[in-house]
Amino acid sequence: MSKVIIQVKDLYKSYGDFEAVKGISFDVYEGEIFGLLGPNGAGKSTTLEIIETLRKKTGGQVLVDGLNLDISPNEIKKIVGVQLQASGFYPGLNLVELINLFAGLYNEDLDPMALLEKVNLKDKAKAKFKELSGGQKQRFSIATTLINKPKIIFLDEPTTGLDPQARRNLWDLILDIRKQGTTVIITTHYMDEAEILCDRVAIIDNGKIIAIDSPSKLIDDLVETGFERPVQVKKANLEDVFINLTGYSIRED
Ligand code: ADP
């Protein structure tokens, strides 16, 4: 078993009287893609932002690569990659200039073109963020998580609103980032995506983890209970039709 890179124990978060996170515990292993799933308002973003050091917890313990959040938040900041908010993408700057700006803030020396190549945006080096398509914007946002060469990146709904081709393209990018040794924590509302990408998922509801395991094990457990999906008479679905007709290649460029 690989080493535990994130350990969350009995995490609590209250906003005034409202308890958004009610004592959750989980481990994330180095090199895995770990999904946080759950309905809107379940507490996913709150949990992520606490681990990212962007929000204060009310109680519990968080260790990131052995660093205690209460003692070493600044050390943790250095090893985690967080998607920067689009509002921080100064409208007057192009992609290379934005990367240089962020690299400066992180005190990192890096080649912007090499980073853009990694996310397949070399052709857009001179473009402004607002000129990008939805998929390109998401790829750039993922690139910004990599600027400080982090051990762990956090992706909050990276494929929301994308067309099927762009979504698949992003899956490949995320798998590629993991292949290079980065641990990925992702939230998504697309269960097909979680099933394809995630080694393990935690399902959160009402501030509590109600299930945690590999997608395959969770499905097997449900089937064990006698659950049966209404019989599918067709061997394909509409998404298969769409991809079959329009192909896998992305159209935005
Ligand atoms: P999710 O990411 O699963 O949609 P969030 O972590 O964003 O859930 O929110 C969990 C709950 O906490 C929600 O009920 C939300 O309204 C509440 N909440 C989130 N941020 C704040 C805040 N800054 N102040 C008050 N309540 C908040």
Side-chain angles (χ1 to χ4, degrees):
M1 186 63 84
S2 1
K3 111 178 190 202
V4 171
I5 194 157
I6 296 177
Q7 188 175 60
V8 174
K9 270 207 175 128
D10 218 17
L11 182 69
Y12 280 86
K13 173 67 182 180
S14 298
Y15 297 108
D17 290 342
F18 176 70
E19 218 170 43
V21 176
K22 302 171 184 162
I24 67 174
S25 302
F26 62 94
D27 291 339
V28 177
Y29 299 108
E30 188 167 45
E32 78 175 337
I33 301 181
F34 185 85
L36 276 184
L37 313 179
N40 286 326
K44 304 179 297 295
S45 303
T46 300
T47 303
L48 285 193
E49 288 174 12
I50 289 170
I51 304 170
E52 293 166 10
T53 77
L54 302 177
R55 233 175 246 246
K56 291 233 170 313
K57 60 185 167 59
T58 310
Q61 202 192 35
V62 177
L63 295 178
V64 181
D65 200 25
L67 299 162
N68 188 325
L69 180 67
D70 295 326
I71 299 166
S72 318
N74 290 330
E75 297 306 307
I76 292 177
K77 275 196 183 87
K78 287 183 196 153
I79 58 163
V80 301
V82 176
Q83 278 179 294
L84 300 168
Q85 295 301 311
S87 56
F89 298 156
Y90 297 92
L93 301 184
N94 66 36
L95 301 191
V96 167
E97 291 163 342
L98 283 171
I99 291 173
N100 279 330
L101 173 74
F102 296 133
L105 295 177
Y106 280 121
N107 224 349
E108 280 286 341
D109 187 17
L110 104 177
D111 173 7
M113 289 310 279
L115 182 58
L116 287 175
E117 181 158 26
K118 213 176 205 172
V119 297
N120 200 13
L121 282 176
K122 238 169 104 179
D123 297 349
K124 296 287 170 184
K126 293 279 158 56
K128 310 261 164 52
F129 181 74
K130 66 169 187 291
E131 295 162 355
L132 303 179
S133 71
Q136 291 167 341
K137 281 184 174 144
Q138 281 298 345
R139 294 212 299 277
F140 183 71
S141 170
I142 291 178
T144 66
T145 71
L146 300 172
I147 289 175
N148 58 334
K149 305 180 184 101
K151 290 187 176 178
I152 307 159
I153 62 169
F154 294 87
L155 304 177
D156 203 354
E157 294 186 37
T159 63
T160 296
L162 300 185
D163 70 34
Q165 284 89 356
R167 222 151 66 87
R168 280 164 173 71
N169 178 260
L170 229 71
W171 296 347
D172 290 341
L173 174 61
I174 293 166
L175 289 168
D176 201 47
I177 290 170
R178 184 270 288 281
K179 209 192 247 168
Q180 288 167 31
T182 311
T183 305
V184 180
I185 320 269
I186 185 172
T187 68
T188 178
H189 289 304
Y190 300 112
M191 295 304 121
D192 60 335
E193 179 166 299
E195 205 177 326
I196 286 169
L197 284 183
C198 297
D199 299 297
R200 288 186 312 134
V201 297
I203 301 178
I204 305 188
D205 196 13
N206 264 321
K208 289 189 170 154
I209 292 184
I210 52 173
I212 180 165
D213 218 317
S214 67
S216 169
K217 176 72 167 52
L218 290 172
I219 294 166
D220 288 347
D221 288 350
L222 176 64
V223 171
E224 262 314 80
T225 67
F227 177 92
E228 269 183 56
R229 200 193 257 198
V231 178
Q232 277 191 322
V233 280
K234 301 188 184 186
K235 290 185 175 162
N237 63 21
L238 190 57
E239 180 140 338
D240 297 323
V241 173
F242 184 96
I243 289 287
N244 198 258
L245 288 171
T246 60
Y248 279 89
S249 62
I250 37 178
R251 303 306 174 75
E252 59 206 2
D253 305 296

PDB file of all heavy atoms in Angstrom, residues 100-116:
ATOM      1  N   ASN A 100       3.908  33.762 -15.890  1.00  0.00           N
ATOM      2  CA  ASN A 100       5.085  34.437 -15.323  1.00  0.00           C
ATOM      3  C   ASN A 100       4.733  35.181 -14.041  1.00  0.00           C
ATOM      4  O   ASN A 100       5.489  35.161 -13.071  1.00  0.00           O
ATOM      5  CB  ASN A 100       5.690  35.405 -16.340  1.00  0.00           C
ATOM      6  CG  ASN A 100       6.566  34.662 -17.339  1.00  0.00           C
ATOM      7  OD1 ASN A 100       7.164  33.635 -17.006  1.00  0.00           O
ATOM      8  ND2 ASN A 100       6.626  35.153 -18.556  1.00  0.00           N
ATOM      9  N   LEU A 101       3.556  35.812 -14.056  1.00  0.00           N
ATOM     10  CA  LEU A 101       3.117  36.545 -12.862  1.00  0.00           C
ATOM     11  C   LEU A 101       2.956  35.588 -11.670  1.00  0.00           C
ATOM     12  O   LEU A 101       3.487  35.820 -10.589  1.00  0.00           O
ATOM     13  CB  LEU A 101       1.795  37.256 -13.159  1.00  0.00           C
ATOM     14  CG  LEU A 101       1.120  37.931 -11.971  1.00  0.00           C
ATOM     15  CD1 LEU A 101       1.867  39.213 -11.600  1.00  0.00           C
ATOM     16  CD2 LEU A 101      -0.334  38.286 -12.288  1.00  0.00           C
ATOM     17  N   PHE A 102       2.227  34.484 -11.901  1.00  0.00           N
ATOM     18  CA  PHE A 102       1.985  33.539 -10.807  1.00  0.00           C
ATOM     19  C   PHE A 102       3.288  32.868 -10.361  1.00  0.00           C
ATOM     20  O   PHE A 102       3.504  32.635  -9.170  1.00  0.00           O
ATOM     21  CB  PHE A 102       0.954  32.477 -11.210  1.00  0.00           C
ATOM     22  CG  PHE A 102      -0.410  33.058 -11.500  1.00  0.00           C
ATOM     23  CD1 PHE A 102      -1.112  32.691 -12.640  1.00  0.00           C
ATOM     24  CD2 PHE A 102      -0.990  33.978 -10.636  1.00  0.00           C
ATOM     25  CE1 PHE A 102      -2.369  33.228 -12.908  1.00  0.00           C
ATOM     26  CE2 PHE A 102      -2.242  34.520 -10.890  1.00  0.00           C
ATOM     27  CZ  PHE A 102      -2.937  34.143 -12.034  1.00  0.00           C
ATOM     28  N   ALA A 103       4.141  32.554 -11.334  1.00  0.00           N
ATOM     29  CA  ALA A 103       5.425  31.925 -10.984  1.00  0.00           C
ATOM     30  C   ALA A 103       6.220  32.872 -10.084  1.00  0.00           C
ATOM     31  O   ALA A 103       6.845  32.444  -9.112  1.00  0.00           O
ATOM     32  CB  ALA A 103       6.213  31.595 -12.247  1.00  0.00           C
ATOM     33  N   GLY A 104       6.144  34.171 -10.394  1.00  0.00           N
ATOM     34  CA  GLY A 104       6.828  35.162  -9.559  1.00  0.00           C
ATOM     35  C   GLY A 104       6.276  35.167  -8.141  1.00  0.00           C
ATOM     36  O   GLY A 104       7.027  35.208  -7.166  1.00  0.00           O
ATOM     37  N   LEU A 105       4.950  35.069  -8.050  1.00  0.00           N
ATOM     38  CA  LEU A 105       4.335  35.069  -6.717  1.00  0.00           C
ATOM     39  C   LEU A 105       4.773  33.846  -5.922  1.00  0.00           C
ATOM     40  O   LEU A 105       4.939  33.897  -4.712  1.00  0.00           O
ATOM     41  CB  LEU A 105       2.799  35.079  -6.831  1.00  0.00           C
ATOM     42  CG  LEU A 105       2.183  36.326  -7.461  1.00  0.00           C
ATOM     43  CD1 LEU A 105       0.672  36.187  -7.599  1.00  0.00           C
ATOM     44  CD2 LEU A 105       2.503  37.565  -6.619  1.00  0.00           C
ATOM     45  N   TYR A 106       4.929  32.731  -6.608  1.00  0.00           N
ATOM     46  CA  TYR A 106       5.353  31.486  -5.948  1.00  0.00           C
ATOM     47  C   TYR A 106       6.873  31.406  -5.816  1.00  0.00           C
ATOM     48  O   TYR A 106       7.383  30.428  -5.282  1.00  0.00           O
ATOM     49  CB  TYR A 106       4.899  30.270  -6.754  1.00  0.00           C
ATOM     50  CG  TYR A 106       3.453  29.863  -6.570  1.00  0.00           C
ATOM     51  CD1 TYR A 106       2.584  29.829  -7.649  1.00  0.00           C
ATOM     52  CD2 TYR A 106       2.984  29.456  -5.320  1.00  0.00           C
ATOM     53  CE1 TYR A 106       1.265  29.419  -7.501  1.00  0.00           C
ATOM     54  CE2 TYR A 106       1.666  29.049  -5.166  1.00  0.00           C
ATOM     55  CZ  TYR A 106       0.810  29.036  -6.251  1.00  0.00           C
ATOM     56  OH  TYR A 106      -0.473  28.612  -6.104  1.00  0.00           O
ATOM     57  N   ASN A 107       7.552  32.401  -6.397  1.00  0.00           N
ATOM     58  CA  ASN A 107       9.013  32.364  -6.376  1.00  0.00           C
ATOM     59  C   ASN A 107       9.567  31.146  -7.124  1.00  0.00           C
ATOM     60  O   ASN A 107      10.542  30.528  -6.704  1.00  0.00           O
ATOM     61  CB  ASN A 107       9.492  32.328  -4.921  1.00  0.00           C
ATOM     62  CG  ASN A 107      10.641  33.281  -4.724  1.00  0.00           C
ATOM     63  OD1 ASN A 107      11.188  33.781  -5.717  1.00  0.00           O
ATOM     64  ND2 ASN A 107      11.009  33.527  -3.481  1.00  0.00           N
ATOM     65  N   GLU A 108       8.877  30.785  -8.211  1.00  0.00           N
ATOM     66  CA  GLU A 108       9.278  29.605  -8.980  1.00  0.00           C
ATOM     67  C   GLU A 108       9.905  30.059 -10.300  1.00  0.00           C
ATOM     68  O   GLU A 108       9.418  30.996 -10.929  1.00  0.00           O
ATOM     69  CB  GLU A 108       8.054  28.752  -9.341  1.00  0.00           C
ATOM     70  CG  GLU A 108       7.544  27.860  -8.257  1.00  0.00           C
ATOM     71  CD  GLU A 108       8.417  26.653  -8.001  1.00  0.00           C
ATOM     72  OE1 GLU A 108       9.239  26.297  -8.886  1.00  0.00           O
ATOM     73  OE2 GLU A 108       8.284  26.061  -6.920  1.00  0.00           O
ATOM     74  N   ASP A 109      10.925  29.355 -10.691  1.00  0.00           N
ATOM     75  CA  ASP A 109      11.544  29.629 -11.975  1.00  0.00           C
ATOM     76  C   ASP A 109      11.033  28.564 -12.937  1.00  0.00           C
ATOM     77  O   ASP A 109      11.351  27.388 -12.753  1.00  0.00           O
ATOM     78  CB  ASP A 109      13.067  29.512 -11.786  1.00  0.00           C
ATOM     79  CG  ASP A 109      13.803  29.950 -13.031  1.00  0.00           C
ATOM     80  OD1 ASP A 109      13.173  30.626 -13.863  1.00  0.00           O
ATOM     81  OD2 ASP A 109      14.993  29.608 -13.164  1.00  0.00           O
ATOM     82  N   LEU A 110      10.199  28.929 -13.897  1.00  0.00           N
ATOM     83  CA  LEU A 110       9.701  27.887 -14.794  1.00  0.00           C
ATOM     84  C   LEU A 110       9.474  28.413 -16.202  1.00  0.00           C
ATOM     85  O   LEU A 110       9.372  29.625 -16.407  1.00  0.00           O
ATOM     86  CB  LEU A 110       8.464  27.204 -14.199  1.00  0.00           C
ATOM     87  CG  LEU A 110       7.036  27.450 -14.658  1.00  0.00           C
ATOM     88  CD1 LEU A 110       6.112  26.551 -13.902  1.00  0.00           C
ATOM     89  CD2 LEU A 110       6.607  28.891 -14.513  1.00  0.00           C
ATOM     90  N   ASP A 111       9.468  27.489 -17.156  1.00  0.00           N
ATOM     91  CA  ASP A 111       9.320  27.849 -18.556  1.00  0.00           C
ATOM     92  C   ASP A 111       7.826  27.826 -18.906  1.00  0.00           C
ATOM     93  O   ASP A 111       7.217  26.749 -18.967  1.00  0.00           O
ATOM     94  CB  ASP A 111      10.105  26.822 -19.393  1.00  0.00           C
ATOM     95  CG  ASP A 111       9.876  27.024 -20.880  1.00  0.00           C
ATOM     96  OD1 ASP A 111       9.227  28.019 -21.263  1.00  0.00           O
ATOM     97  OD2 ASP A 111      10.350  26.161 -21.656  1.00  0.00           O
ATOM     98  N   PRO A 112       7.216  29.007 -19.128  1.00  0.00           N
ATOM     99  CA  PRO A 112       5.776  29.064 -19.388  1.00  0.00           C
ATOM    100  C   PRO A 112       5.367  28.206 -20.589  1.00  0.00           C
ATOM    101  O   PRO A 112       4.330  27.550 -20.559  1.00  0.00           O
ATOM    102  CB  PRO A 112       5.503  30.538 -19.676  1.00  0.00           C
ATOM    103  CG  PRO A 112       6.665  31.283 -19.158  1.00  0.00           C
ATOM    104  CD  PRO A 112       7.830  30.344 -19.166  1.00  0.00           C
ATOM    105  N   MET A 113       6.223  28.187 -21.648  1.00  0.00           N
ATOM    106  CA  MET A 113       5.837  27.419 -22.835  1.00  0.00           C
ATOM    107  C   MET A 113       5.795  25.921 -22.542  1.00  0.00           C
ATOM    108  O   MET A 113       4.936  25.206 -23.051  1.00  0.00           O
ATOM    109  CB  MET A 113       6.816  27.696 -23.991  1.00  0.00           C
ATOM    110  CG  MET A 113       6.671  29.088 -24.584  1.00  0.00           C
ATOM    111  SD  MET A 113       4.974  29.532 -24.997  1.00  0.00           S
ATOM    112  CE  MET A 113       4.806  28.721 -26.562  1.00  0.00           C
ATOM    113  N   ALA A 114       6.712  25.458 -21.714  1.00  0.00           N
ATOM    114  CA  ALA A 114       6.719  24.031 -21.370  1.00  0.00           C
ATOM    115  C   ALA A 114       5.444  23.682 -20.609  1.00  0.00           C
ATOM    116  O   ALA A 114       4.822  22.631 -20.844  1.00  0.00           O
ATOM    117  CB  ALA A 114       7.955  23.691 -20.537  1.00  0.00           C
ATOM    118  N   LEU A 115       5.030  24.575 -19.726  1.00  0.00           N
ATOM    119  CA  LEU A 115       3.801  24.319 -18.964  1.00  0.00           C
ATOM    120  C   LEU A 115       2.587  24.349 -19.898  1.00  0.00           C
ATOM    121  O   LEU A 115       1.707  23.480 -19.821  1.00  0.00           O
ATOM    122  CB  LEU A 115       3.655  25.366 -17.847  1.00  0.00           C
ATOM    123  CG  LEU A 115       2.453  25.196 -16.930  1.00  0.00           C
ATOM    124  CD1 LEU A 115       2.464  23.825 -16.240  1.00  0.00           C
ATOM    125  CD2 LEU A 115       2.396  26.305 -15.884  1.00  0.00           C
ATOM    126  N   LEU A 116       2.562  25.318 -20.821  1.00  0.00           N
ATOM    127  CA  LEU A 116       1.435  25.399 -21.754  1.00  0.00           C
ATOM    128  C   LEU A 116       1.391  24.172 -22.667  1.00  0.00           C
ATOM    129  O   LEU A 116       0.330  23.684 -23.024  1.00  0.00           O
ATOM    130  CB  LEU A 116       1.521  26.688 -22.584  1.00  0.00           C
ATOM    131  CG  LEU A 116       1.192  27.970 -21.813  1.00  0.00           C
ATOM    132  CD1 LEU A 116       1.421  29.202 -22.684  1.00  0.00           C
ATOM    133  CD2 LEU A 116      -0.248  27.958 -21.305  1.00  0.00           C
TER     134      LEU A 116
END
